[in-house]
C-alpha cells in the first residue's frame, strides 16, 4: 500500500462537520449567512472608503485594504466548506489542497503585516501628529500595503512546497474544515520532524514579529496618551485605537491557540472551533467594529442611506 518515494494519495477527504449528519442543512445556512455578511459588510466598507471624501485618509486607506483582504481570506475557506456541506462529497484533489493551503498561508501573513501597518499609522498620528502628513504620505501608504501583501509570497510558497513534498501514502482523511499544515502532518508517512520544525519557525517569525511591532507601537501610544493634559484628548486618542486593538486581539488570540498550543493539550474539535473563529468570526465583526465606533464611517453611512 505504501511506497518509498512519490505521493500515493491523489485526493483528500475533508471531514469537516461530518460527525453532525443531522445538522448539515443548518450549518450550510449558518455559514452561507456568515459568508454573505462578510462580503456585504466589508464590501460596503470598501465602497464608502473609496467614494466618500471624508474617508480619504491613510487610516481608511489601510482599512479598505484590510477589508478587501478579509474578503479574499475567507473566500479561500468558506466557498469550499459550503460546497462540501451542500454536496456531502468532501473530497479535494491533492493540487487543490496545496493551492488552498498556499493562499491561506500567504493571506494570513499579509493580514499580520497589514495590522502592523495600521498600528504604525496610529503611532505616527498620535505620537508625531505634526509630521503625520509628511511621514504617512500616499507613496508610503502604498509601499506599506504592497509590502504587506507581497512579503509572505516567496516564503509561504516554499513552505507549501515542502509540506506537499512529503509522502502521503496512507490515510487521506483530514479531520479539519480546510487544508492546513497541522492536520496534514498527521497524514504524512515517514519522518516529518524537520519540516514541522521549519514550518513552526517560519510561522513563529512571521506571526510573532508583526505582533511585537504592534505591541511596541501601542506601548509608545500609551506613553504619549497618558501625558496628554485633557481627559477628552486621552479619550479621543484611545477611541481611535480601540477598534484596531479589538481586531488584533481576536485574530492573534484565536490563531495562537491553534498554532502554538502544545499538542498534548489540543483536541481536533477545539482546533476546528478556533480555526473558524479567526477565518470567519473576525471578518464578520471587522466592519461592525470599525463602523459602530467610528463617527466618520457612521456619517458616510448616513449620506449613503439618509433614511
Amino acid at each position: 500500500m505504501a511506497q518509498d518515494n512519490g505521493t500515493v494519495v491523489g485526493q483528500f477527504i475533508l471531514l469537516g462537520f461530518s460527525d453532525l449528519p443531522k445538522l448539515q442543512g443548518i450549518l450550510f445556512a449558518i455559514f452561507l449567512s456568515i459568508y454573505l455578511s462578510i462580503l456585504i459588510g466589508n464590501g460596503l466598507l470598501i465602497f464608502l472608503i473609496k467614494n466618500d471624501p471624508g474617508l480619504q485618509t491613510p487610516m481608511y486607506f489601510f482599512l479598505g485594504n484590510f477589508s478587501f483582504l478579509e474578503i479574499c481570506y475567507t473566500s479561500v475557506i468558506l466557498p469550499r466548506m459550503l460546497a462540501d456541506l451542500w454536496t456531502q462529497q468532501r473530497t479535494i484533489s491533492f493540487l487543490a489542497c496545496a493551492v488552498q493551503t498556499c493562499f491561506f498561508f500567504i493571506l494570513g501573513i499579509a493580514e499580520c503585516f497589514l495590522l502592523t501597518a495600521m498600528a504604525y499609522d496610529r503611532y505616527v498620528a498620535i505620537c508625531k501628529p505634526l509630521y503625520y502628513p509628511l511621514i504617512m504620505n500616499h507613496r508610503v501608504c502604498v509601499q506599506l500595503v504592497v509590502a504587506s501583501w507581497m512579503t509572505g509570497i516567496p516564503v509561504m510558497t516554499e513552505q507549501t512546497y515542502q509540506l506537499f513534498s512529503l509522502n502521503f501514502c496512507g490515510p487521506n482523511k483530514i479531520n479539519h474544515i480546510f487544508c492546513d499544515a497541522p492536520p496534514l502532518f498527521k497524514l504524512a508517512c515517514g519522518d516529518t520532524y524537520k519540516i514541522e520544525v521549519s514550518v513552526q519557525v517560519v510561522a513563529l517569525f512571521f506571526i510573532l514579529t508583526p505582533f511585537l511591532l504592534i505591541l511596541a507601537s501601542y506601548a509608545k501610544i500609551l506613553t504619549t496618551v497618558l501625558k496628554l493634559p485633557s481627559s477628552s484628548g486621552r479619550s479621543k486618542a484611545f477611541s481611535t485605537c480601540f477598534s484596531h486593538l479589538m481586531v488584533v486581539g481576536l485574530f492573534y488570540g484565536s490563531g495562537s491557540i491553534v498554532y502554538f498550543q502544545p499538542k498534548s493539550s489540543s483536541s481536533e474539535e477545539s482546533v476546528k472551533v478556533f480555526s473558524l473563529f479567526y477565518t470567519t468570526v473576525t471578518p464578520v465583526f471587522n466592519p461592525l467594529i470599525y463602523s459602530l465606533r467610528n463617527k466618520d464611517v457612521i456619517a458616510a453611512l448616513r449620506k449613503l442611506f439618509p433614511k
Side-chain angles (χ1 to χ4, degrees):
M1 177 171 148
Q3 294 179 7
D4 292 332
N5 297 308
T7 299
V8 176
V9 172
Q11 63 180 14
F12 296 103
I13 299 173
L14 288 166
L15 296 181
F17 300 101
S18 58
D19 56 333
L20 302 170
K22 295 182 180 180
L23 299 178
Q24 299 299 295
I26 296 174
L27 289 172
F28 176 83
I30 291 172
F31 286 116
L32 179 61
S33 301
I34 289 173
Y35 187 49
L36 291 176
S37 299
I38 291 169
L39 295 178
I40 294 170
N42 287 282
L44 180 60
L45 204 52
I46 294 169
F47 178 81
L48 290 174
I49 292 168
K50 184 72 175 175
N51 293 280
D52 193 280
L55 302 181
Q56 303 301 311
T57 64
M59 181 176 76
Y60 295 110
F61 175 73
F62 289 122
L63 180 55
N65 277 275
F66 186 72
S67 294
F68 179 67
L69 178 59
E70 294 283 57
I71 291 174
C72 296
Y73 192 55
T74 53
S75 295
V76 173
I77 307 298
L78 282 178
R80 179 84 212 185
M81 188 193 306
L82 289 170
D84 290 341
L85 288 169
W86 181 259
T87 63
Q88 300 294 300
Q89 291 183 356
R90 307 186 188 282
T91 57
I92 182 170
S93 69
F94 186 87
L95 178 60
C97 188
V99 170
Q100 186 185 59
T101 303
C102 188
F103 276 101
F104 175 71
F105 285 171
I106 291 170
L107 294 173
I109 297 303
E111 184 153 346
C112 293
F113 280 101
L114 196 51
L115 286 170
T116 308
M118 295 168 76
Y120 177 69
D121 173 70
R122 292 298 83 209
Y123 158 73
V124 177
I126 294 172
C127 300
K128 300 182 179 181
L130 296 178
Y131 296 98
Y132 182 72
L134 181 63
I135 296 174
M136 299 304 296
N137 58 65
H138 183 68
R139 181 182 177 184
V140 170
C141 293
V142 171
Q143 288 174 342
L144 287 172
V145 167
V146 171
S148 299
W149 280 89
M150 301 297 291
T151 299
I153 292 178
V155 179
M156 292 301 113
T157 302
E158 171 63 22
Q159 290 296 303
T160 305
Y161 175 78
Q162 287 189 36
L163 174 60
F164 284 88
S165 294
L166 293 170
N167 187 21
F168 296 95
C169 59
N172 66 338
K173 294 182 179 180
I174 302 174
N175 191 12
H176 202 37
I177 53 178
F178 57 89
C179 290
D180 197 6
L184 283 166
F185 280 128
K186 295 179 180 179
L187 301 182
C189 305
D191 184 16
T192 64
Y193 177 75
K194 290 183 179 179
I195 297 180
E196 283 193 63
V197 170
S198 172
V199 170
Q200 286 285 346
V201 169
V202 170
L204 189 63
F205 176 79
F206 279 96
I207 293 173
L208 189 60
T209 301
F211 183 64
L212 292 176
L213 291 173
I214 292 170
L215 288 182
S217 297
Y218 278 105
K220 290 283 188 180
I221 289 171
L222 182 61
T223 303
T224 302
V225 169
L226 292 177
K227 293 178 181 178
L228 294 176
S230 65
S231 58
S232 61
R234 289 194 295 269
S235 177
K236 183 178 180 181
F238 279 127
S239 179
T240 61
C241 300
F242 184 75
S243 300
H244 182 251
L245 280 172
M246 285 185 66
V247 173
V248 169
L250 287 170
F251 179 75
Y252 272 97
S254 54
S256 299
I257 291 172
V258 171
Y259 288 99
F260 299 124
Q261 67 173 333
K263 291 182 179 180
S264 58
S265 63
S266 64
S267 68
E268 291 177 334
E269 298 307 316
S270 67
V271 168
K272 287 183 190 179
V273 171
F274 284 108
S275 296
L276 278 175
F277 201 85
Y278 69 83
T279 55
T280 60
V281 175
T282 302
V284 167
F285 282 109
N286 171 47
L288 293 175
I289 290 170
Y290 279 106
S291 60
L292 294 178
R293 294 188 53 84
N294 192 300
K295 294 179 180 179
D296 294 333
V297 175
I298 291 174
L301 281 169
R302 284 175 177 167
K303 290 179 186 177
L304 188 62
F305 304 107
K307 295 184 180 180

